[in-house]
Amino acid sequence: MSPRKGEEKDPPPLYHVVHKLPPGDSPYVRAKHVQLVEKDPDAAIVLFWKAINVGDRIDSALKDMAVVMKQQDRAEEAVEAIKAFRNRCSKQAQESLDNVLIDLYKKCGRIEEQIELLKQKLRMIYQGEAFNGKPTKTGRSHGKKFQVTIKQETSRILGNLGWAYMQQGNHMAAEVVYRKAQLIDPDANKACNLCLCLIKQSRYDEARTCLEDVLQGKVSGSEDPKSRNRAEELLQELEKYQSAPSSSNYARSSIEDACIEGLEQLMNQWAPIRTRRLPIFEEISPFRDQLAC
């Protein structure tokens, strides 16, 4: 509908708002323009490097460049870039850079380094140093902001640590970590991963119990079609294993001993006992001396 005579036209939306670009004309802004508007990742990487070298929004430039490098299958370069330049970034940016680094290690298959960094993040939570000392942080997903609590972050990191152990084939350690995560903030995805850990150890009855929690809608995310489909696929796999002759010679007592030992090692590596403890660790402390299996 065209405006009537004498009425003013609505001003056109600002270019940088439409394309979600920062205002200005600096190397970092030009890099974002090349990345988001011109869709030229290689040229964007060059400009991000320039922004870092001249000190233009280093926090954002380093993180964005690493993400683009990962998309271009240059994850190893991105790892080295973060290690080389993160000391020039602010304290507030370090946690975000760690998250990018964990994704890069995963992309590169550097599982040991991924595990070590995840443990370091858990240690920071334990010592009250995560989220720059705040109880929550703002996250983003698909352009929307949301609040993340320490409890949710702890469970998320434990879930990532469990998955890293699974990639190593260390299903006992993965099981211990997933059980801890489910005590803190249970969800369907981690329940399915815990089930897979148990299947790998031929502990089929326990695995079935995990799946029933998802299929009966007892844990968060059970209504998600992807989670339900995965649970149903795992159930079919479980039934296949249970119908086959068992070749497992696992002794229950030896599994329990291994889980206790693994749990104590993990807890000792995360952090020494300190008085500055967040409420979530007070909640899980009573479980420390109990069986995780």
Side-chain angles (χ1 to χ4, degrees), residues 98-290:
D98 280 341
N99 291 334
V100 175
L101 204 51
I102 287 169
D103 285 340
L104 291 170
Y105 285 147
K106 186 176 181 180
K107 176 80 171 179
C108 299
R110 293 163 67 167
I111 306 300
E112 289 290 346
E113 289 161 291
Q114 183 185 353
I115 288 173
E116 187 56 40
L117 190 48
L118 288 166
K119 287 181 181 177
Q120 178 182 314
K121 290 178 74 66
L122 288 167
R123 191 178 301 116
M124 290 178 64
I125 291 175
Y126 187 87
Q127 295 172 343
E129 298 171 1
F131 293 7
N132 295 309
K134 298 178 181 178
T136 63
K137 73 172 182 179
T138 301
R140 293 177 182 271
S141 178
H142 305 292
K144 296 182 179 179
K145 294 182 180 180
F146 58 94
Q147 291 299 306
V148 181
T149 66
I150 286 286
K151 183 177 180 179
Q152 292 169 328
E153 181 73 353
T154 304
S155 183
R156 184 188 72 82
I157 295 172
L158 284 168
N160 288 341
L161 181 59
W163 186 252
Y165 278 129
M166 288 181 70
Q167 303 314 297
Q168 286 187 323
N170 191 346
H171 300 110
M172 285 187 179
E175 178 198 346
V176 171
V177 173
Y178 277 128
R179 287 193 184 277
K180 249 345 162 189
Q182 290 296 78
L183 284 173
I184 297 169
D185 189 31
D187 66 44
N189 181 56
K190 290 193 288 290
C192 288
N193 288 338
L194 176 56
C195 168
L196 185 56
C197 290
L198 294 166
I199 289 175
K200 295 294 185 181
Q201 297 175 63
S202 303
R203 292 159 59 192
Y204 303 129
D205 291 339
E206 294 170 81
R208 185 178 291 273
T209 300
C210 292
L211 288 183
E212 287 173 353
D213 287 344
V214 178
L215 296 173
Q216 294 174 12
K218 294 181 179 179
V219 292
S220 173
S222 298
E223 70 285 351
D224 179 46
K226 290 184 179 179
S227 295
R228 291 194 66 83
N229 289 340
R230 188 176 179 217
E232 289 168 358
E233 290 172 0
L234 284 169
L235 183 60
Q236 292 176 1
E237 183 177 349
L238 183 58
E239 290 173 346
K240 179 182 68 176
Y241 281 118
Q242 286 187 304
S243 63
S246 175
S247 59
S248 172
N249 293 317
Y250 280 125
R252 176 68 185 178
S253 60
S254 64
I255 292 174
E256 291 175 346
D257 290 343
C259 284
I260 294 171
E261 182 182 353
L263 177 57
E264 288 302 317
Q265 289 175 352
L266 286 172
M267 293 296 288
N268 290 335
Q269 288 172 348
W270 290 347
I273 296 175
R274 295 193 174 218
T275 56
R276 188 184 180 190
R277 305 176 94 193
L278 295 176
I280 183 57
F281 285 98
E282 296 294 347
E283 291 176 22
I284 67 173
S285 291
F287 297 97
R288 181 171 177 174
D289 295 322
Q290 296 178 15

